[in-house]
Amino acid sequence: MFRLIRSILRNTGGCLFGKDPATSVLEKDCRAHDVENLYITDASFMPTGGSVPYTWTIYANSFRVADIINRK
């Protein structure tokens, strides 16, 4: 009678980039303006998901941010 439909939804665009903490959440290195040592590397840093799966983009950005953190 009922079908179970499974989907995976990745929200994008929730954490805007910018220099001004009043109008953005993240700096260019994905570090949060208002919380020290908080880095956001999930899909929320991306302005849009585009037309293809973006899992590898999230992975690549996570490795990029990890390198930034390791250099500090």
Side-chain angles (χ1 to χ4, degrees):
M1 183 177 243
F2 293 101
R3 287 177 132 179
L4 178 61
I5 300 173
R6 294 181 183 188
S7 67
I8 297 173
L9 180 64
R10 294 183 188 103
N11 292 327
T12 61
C15 297
L16 300 175
F17 284 102
K19 294 180 180 180
D20 183 4
T23 59
S24 61
V25 177
L26 301 175
E27 296 179 357
K28 66 180 180 177
D29 61 359
C30 289
R31 188 173 67 83
H33 288 295
D34 295 332
V35 181
E36 188 175 344
N37 291 324
L38 175 63
Y39 292 81
I40 308 291
T41 60
D42 64 355
S44 64
F45 82 94
M46 301 171 65
T48 181
S51 61
V52 297
Y54 43 90
T55 302
W56 293 106
T57 304
I58 295 168
Y59 290 161
N61 185 61
S62 297
F63 289 127
R64 179 187 73 86
V65 172
D67 286 341
I68 291 169
I69 293 168
N70 281 332
R71 280 188 243 134
K72 291 186 177 189

